[in-house]
Amino acid sequence: MSIIAFLVIGLLAGLLARALMPGNQSMGLLATTLLGIAGSFVGGFIGSFFRSDGRVMDLHPSGLIFSVIGAMLVLLLVSFAGRSRRVRV
């Protein structure tokens, strides 16, 4: 059941991050879910700095918030990487 919850939270975080970020992100449902999962890891790492126990992989009420923040950071990095590969004329 934890894998299903992880996928659902990843999907929600990816959808929220894409909705909050300006611009057009052309990605499908699978890429959005992977974005949210990567954001969950990044957000969990960031959130571990604010907790006294420092455990990264626990489920906390603020987990979705940090997952969205992490997904937004990942999306920002991906958009910067995508810009440098485009040919400018």
Side-chain angles (χ1 to χ4, degrees):
M1 189 68 179
S2 65
I3 293 175
I4 294 172
F6 189 64
L7 291 174
V8 169
I9 289 175
L11 177 64
L12 287 174
L15 286 173
L16 286 171
R18 286 186 57 202
L20 293 174
M21 286 294 287
N24 184 16
Q25 301 91 18
S26 58
M27 50 177 65
L29 191 63
L30 180 64
T32 302
T33 305
L34 292 175
L35 170 71
I37 290 171
S40 293
F41 281 119
V42 172
F45 184 70
I46 292 170
S48 69
F49 291 125
F50 297 109
R51 290 189 297 268
S52 61
D53 58 359
R55 298 189 322 199
V56 177
M57 294 299 192
D58 288 343
L59 185 62
H60 295 281
S62 63
L64 185 61
I65 296 169
F66 281 116
S67 294
V68 171
I69 292 170
M72 289 175 72
L73 286 173
V74 170
L75 192 58
L76 186 69
L77 290 174
V78 168
S79 70
F80 281 142
R83 285 187 199 164
S84 65
R85 291 186 297 172
R86 292 182 187 158
V87 176
R88 296 181 184 161
V89 180

